[in-house]
Amino acid sequence: MLEIRNLNFSYDETTPKTDLNDINLHIKKGEVILLCGESGCGKTTVTRLINGLIPDFYGGSVEGQVLINSIPVNENPIYETAKIVGSVFQNPRSQFFNVDTNSELVFGCENMGLPVEEIQKRLHDVVSTFNIHHLLNKSIFKLSGGEKQKIACASVSASKPQILVLDEPSSNLDSASTWDLRKLISIWKNAGNTVIIAEHRLYFLNDLIDRLIYMKNGQIHMELDKDNLISMDNKSFSQLGLRPFSLEELSKNKAALSKKPDCRNNSITLTNFKYSYGNTLAIDIKHLQVPQNEIIAIIGENGAGKSTFARCLCGLERKCKGQLKKEGKVLRNKDRLKLSYMVMQDVNHQIFTESVEDEILLSMDESSPKIEEKIEKILKDLDLLHLKEAHPMALSGGQKQRVAIGSAIASGKEIIIFDEPTSGLDLKHMKKVANNIKNLQKKGITLFIISHDLELILECCSHVLHFENGKVIDNYILDNIGEEKLKKFFINPFKDFNISLNP
């Protein structure tokens, strides 16, 4: 059904073998294929060749062929390819064409010229399949990152393509939404669709995958079938630089938990902390006390209020009411803005310069001594030194994420908030980010980490705030008891998965 023959590709038209080298791949109808490997290994580039974005939207030098049903993709108009191949991008916002959810869900169907009755039927079907009734008739701009991802997946599914290409589909999803995504992939599989997934998170796919394609430096380094995958343990995946296939085996990095945090004298205290979107109360915290100089995970389902809380915490939301005290001193919005730095969930919003090096410099005091050495160390620690002259917007999603993290490290602020800092990151770079976060904590910085990444939280966090409907429903230290609470939240949605995978 899908064949890639002797393919070489480079985004630089003068050098044909920079980004992909000698790619040969045959994918049968109905297969679920996982593309994995470190950030920048070529996964996203392969997906762009399959869905026709290369060469129609991304230029470069192409040698070889990509064929779907024996027809070369580059010889087919992209609107014809789009009828066969549906895509969900790493950043779903980049593929939206409407401002409301209902219009977005039926956009593809309308473009295909389907009858109104059929469009309404498909809308009803995807809403039921995705369990997104609560997202109907909403503004796209008011959705959380995970909710946007759900709308993107449902919109593509409504068009009923033969092949579905998903680029980091779980990167912004909470555990329950990842469970929904898993169910959807199984439904596509049972319906005989071909599904190609570029992913770093592996655990939710462990018995859905027919083949794993492991990429390295723009080449297919290894192929593993289902039998091979079943025989491998987490250590085997780690040796390949891949994330685990099972969350059950994970445990807390006890080195990240120093002593029991003391909130009495060295704390951040919130009282009657509230924020509303119009008449809807989004944050409602009567009293909350968290320790300073700790790494505090903020968890909860998509739409629970985590990102809104973060913006209020660092002073970005001027209409936030209530009081925040640090070491007994009340901090107003402008005080919090001076003390805080936030790495946003969509890092494209905070990339401003024309080189990675300048992006780091932008956050620094240029009069500080040995500034070039400091920049070089930050870039080296985040595996970005070789990209220091590159334009940030030309980088992969994971590389951009690390640039934004580098800017936060360079800022020297007392409170740093990371909103999904490891979305789109492989195992190696997730651990680099965790180590940098731990190093910041050693310098006396208080860190808040909004995350759906259990591995990151266990690697570096010492404290957990659990949000639900804008309220903190749990606040605990990540000791042995806390670890069990945390794993229950992340793993339980996967316990009862019992859908037949036979078409």
Side-chain angles (χ1 to χ4, degrees), residues 257-275:
L257 187 64
S258 49
K259 60 182 187 303
K260 185 175 180 179
D262 184 359
C263 289
R264 291 174 297 176
N265 302 313
N266 191 23
S267 65
I268 294 172
T269 305
L270 283 70
T271 307
N272 295 322
F273 206 67
K274 298 177 186 291
Y275 181 78

Side-chain angles (χ1 to χ4, degrees), residues 136-165:
L136 291 177
N137 302 304
K138 285 197 172 185
S139 166
I140 289 287
F141 304 106
K142 293 185 179 178
L143 302 181
S144 70
E147 288 169 339
K148 289 174 184 173
Q149 189 75 291
K150 281 187 174 184
I151 293 296
C153 287
S155 176
V156 168
S157 188
S159 298
K160 296 189 176 180
Q162 298 172 32
I163 300 172
L164 294 116
V165 178

Side-chain angles (χ1 to χ4, degrees), residues 129-317:
T129 300
F130 276 76
N131 192 25
I132 53 172
H133 301 83
H134 62 294
L135 297 181
L136 291 177
N137 302 304
K138 285 197 172 185
S139 166
I140 289 287
F141 304 106
K142 293 185 179 178
L143 302 181
S144 70
E147 288 169 339
K148 289 174 184 173
Q149 189 75 291
K150 281 187 174 184
I151 293 296
C153 287
S155 176
V156 168
S157 188
S159 298
K160 296 189 176 180
Q162 298 172 32
I163 300 172
L164 294 116
V165 178
L166 313 178
D167 190 5
E168 299 286 351
S170 77
S171 59
N172 293 314
L173 298 184
D174 59 37
S175 54
S177 298
T178 305
W179 160 242
D180 289 339
L181 174 64
R182 175 187 169 102
K183 287 194 288 188
L184 178 69
I185 294 169
S186 74
I187 290 167
W188 284 334
K189 183 181 176 75
N190 285 343
N193 293 109
T194 302
V195 186
I196 300 161
I197 311 162
E199 255 293 1
H200 291 302
R201 290 184 185 178
L202 307 184
Y203 62 87
F204 75 99
L205 298 167
N206 59 12
D207 55 1
L208 293 176
I209 303 166
D210 293 303
R211 272 189 295 159
L212 181 150
I213 309 298
Y214 175 66
M215 297 188 66
K216 190 173 183 179
N217 300 324
Q219 293 183 306
I220 294 177
H221 197 68
M222 183 187 302
E223 289 191 33
L224 298 169
D225 62 20
K226 189 178 291 187
D227 292 337
N228 294 136
L229 293 170
I230 290 171
S231 66
M232 293 174 67
D233 57 16
N234 280 353
K235 185 177 179 181
S236 301
F237 285 99
S238 180
Q239 287 170 348
L240 290 173
L242 299 177
R243 295 211 185 202
F245 244 31
S246 169
L247 294 183
E248 296 279 5
E249 300 173 28
L250 293 178
S251 61
K252 179 81 182 83
N253 178 1
K254 301 303 179 185
L257 187 64
S258 49
K259 60 182 187 303
K260 185 175 180 179
D262 184 359
C263 289
R264 291 174 297 176
N265 302 313
N266 191 23
S267 65
I268 294 172
T269 305
L270 283 70
T271 307
N272 295 322
F273 206 67
K274 298 177 186 291
Y275 181 78
S276 298
Y277 290 111
N279 296 321
T280 304
L281 189 61
I283 298 295
D284 183 14
I285 299 172
K286 291 182 180 178
H287 182 79
L288 175 66
Q289 197 169 32
V290 293
Q292 279 187 207
N293 312 138
E294 295 290 339
I295 306 171
I296 301 157
I298 300 175
I299 67 170
E301 294 184 359
N302 294 127
K306 304 183 299 298
S307 296
T308 303
F309 169 73
R311 291 196 301 272
C312 292
L313 185 67
C314 65
L316 287 173
E317 298 291 357

